Amino acid sequence: MKVTIVGCSGSFPGPDSPASCYLIEADGFKLLLDLGNGSLGALQRHISPYEVDAICLSHLHADHCLDLCSYHVVRTYGPGAPYPTLPVYAPADAPARLSAAYGMPDEPGLETAFDFLPLAPGSFEIGPFTLTAGLVNHPVEAYGFRVTGGGRCVAYSGDTGESSELVKLATGADLLLCEASFVEGPDLPADLHLTGRQAARHAAEAGVDRLVLTHLVPWNDQATVLEEAMGGGFGGPIELARSGAVYDLA
Ligand SMILES: [Zn+2]
Ligand SMILES: [Zn+2]
């Protein structure tokens, strides 16, 4: 299994990274977790946009899903188009919400290019992967994911506040991509995002091998985010996500 960080900027694109997007590959299958704003551009540094086999959207905040509108253009009007409809696993509102964002009528909307499959908690197969979706703590319907394949496992928090479900999803994972949007301070809102220290605590409780802090918000000092994570009681390696970083878990 190979994991490529396409986009890791939190809440909006930053100067060095688009918003959330992760490419997971095994046996030639290419799965995207999230397609946030700006990520369709950076994705093309790694693969052709025509090679994607499936997409999972953790939730419908713009920084996790909005480039699906632009991707509809690629699959509808690109050379050799139209391409077969692509499976998109997402919260049930996705077809209406993203069609409205594009400026299309609800019917047929983006469904000419995508086969929307509503997410619910539980496990299912996508190509060579088993994906487990679990509800995490964010103000909208939001999922964390556990992806296993070829005996390897990556977990992704999506956006969440403290979450026992995230610990479950990440249990024993080779790699945890965990959001660390907040720097510690008084009166941080609950059930929204994590600090680096909280991310590390989740990683420790889940017993993962490696923690990558992601959804890094450009207005934060990332050295502080990393430093706070180092104090979170996780004994394994911790690093900041970087657009273009590749983790070969084979
Ligand atoms: Zn976000
Ligand atoms: Zn969000």
Side-chain angles (χ1 to χ4, degrees):
M1 183 192 287
K2 187 170 127 184
V3 177
T4 302
I5 297 179
V6 178
C8 55
S9 189
S11 303
F12 60 98
D16 301 315
S17 176
S20 296
C21 181
Y22 307 88
L23 168 63
I24 319 286
E25 295 173 86
D27 300 341
F29 193 94
K30 295 171 173 48
L31 167 68
L32 294 180
L33 304 182
D34 285 342
L35 196 60
N37 38 347
S39 62
L40 181 60
L43 176 68
Q44 294 166 70
R45 295 182 193 148
H46 305 287
I47 61 170
S48 154
Y50 308 109
E51 291 181 302
V52 176
D53 292 298
I55 299 175
C56 288
L57 302 178
S58 65
H59 65 298
L60 298 180
H61 281 157
D63 60 315
H64 296 260
C65 68
L66 206 54
D67 270 17
L68 201 71
C69 294
S70 308
Y71 192 39
H72 182 275
V73 175
V74 172
R75 296 193 71 90
T76 306
Y77 305 109
Y83 291 85
T85 53
L86 191 80
V88 176
Y89 300 82
D93 284 351
R97 289 273 307 280
L98 289 164
S99 296
Y102 188 107
M104 276 189 185
D106 281 358
E107 298 286 340
L110 297 185
E111 279 151 309
T112 53
F114 304 120
D115 181 16
F116 286 100
L117 300 153
L119 277 173
S123 297
F124 54 96
E125 310 296 316
I126 306 179
F129 301 114
T130 300
L131 186 140
T132 304
L135 282 168
V136 291
N137 293 326
H138 202 53
V140 296
E141 179 184 355
Y143 293 89
F145 297 129
R146 175 188 183 89
V147 183
T148 57
R152 297 293 168 186
C153 175
V154 58
Y156 168 49
S157 65
D159 282 6
T160 187
E162 293 188 281
S163 165
S164 57
E165 186 61 33
L166 174 58
V167 173
K168 246 194 273 179
L169 288 169
T171 296
D174 296 284
L175 172 64
L176 170 59
L177 302 164
C178 190
E179 75 123 285
S181 311
F182 283 153
V183 167
E184 288 174 7
D187 306 321
L188 290 178
D191 300 330
L192 184 60
H193 290 300
L194 296 171
T195 65
R197 190 183 310 270
Q198 289 170 329
R201 208 167 57 230
H202 283 69
E205 283 178 29
V208 305
D209 282 356
R210 172 190 285 250
L211 170 62
V212 172
L213 303 168
T214 192
H215 200 270
L216 303 169
V217 182
W219 62 54
N220 286 339
D221 172 21
Q222 304 311 335
T224 302
V225 174
L226 182 60
E227 194 183 307
E228 290 178 357
M230 293 297 185
F234 176 63
I238 306 177
E239 63 203 275
L240 296 169
R242 179 179 55 77
S243 175
V246 176
Y247 298 89
D248 195 341
L249 305 181

